[in-house]
Amino acid sequence: PAFDWSIPSLQSLLDLFPPFLLAVPKKKTSHSRKAMRSANKGLKDKHNIVNCPGCGAPKLSHHLCANCYSYLNRTWKAKNK
């Protein structure tokens, strides 16, 4: 039995692999370019901090105060027991 050593065509190779496997960057991304891309991902300052009317602790506006919530949670759990 003779074995055929023919070279496959480019189209047959493209049919074997999905197109997303062939997407490769042409150049290495430098450290400077990576740093510039991630420069705007830093943490922002909070401007909506107010004092809780119940206990006076600082909290985010339109959020429950952590101190008051833990007090209410403890009393509800004690009442349910």
Side-chain angles (χ1 to χ4, degrees), residues 17-53:
F17 300 109
F20 63 86
L21 288 178
L22 300 174
V24 178
K26 290 187 186 300
K27 300 277 185 178
K28 179 182 177 181
T29 307
S30 68
H31 174 76
S32 167
R33 209 166 270 287
K34 284 187 283 189
M36 283 190 286
R37 186 172 60 235
S38 64
N40 58 358
K41 295 182 182 175
L43 296 174
K44 307 281 190 292
D45 291 338
K46 295 284 186 181
H47 297 292
N48 57 345
I49 296 178
V50 296
N51 291 330
C52 175

Side-chain angles (χ1 to χ4, degrees), residues 70-81:
S70 62
Y71 172 74
L72 287 173
N73 200 11
R74 276 187 261 121
T75 55
W76 286 334
K77 284 183 180 180
K79 188 185 290 186
N80 287 339
K81 283 186 178 179

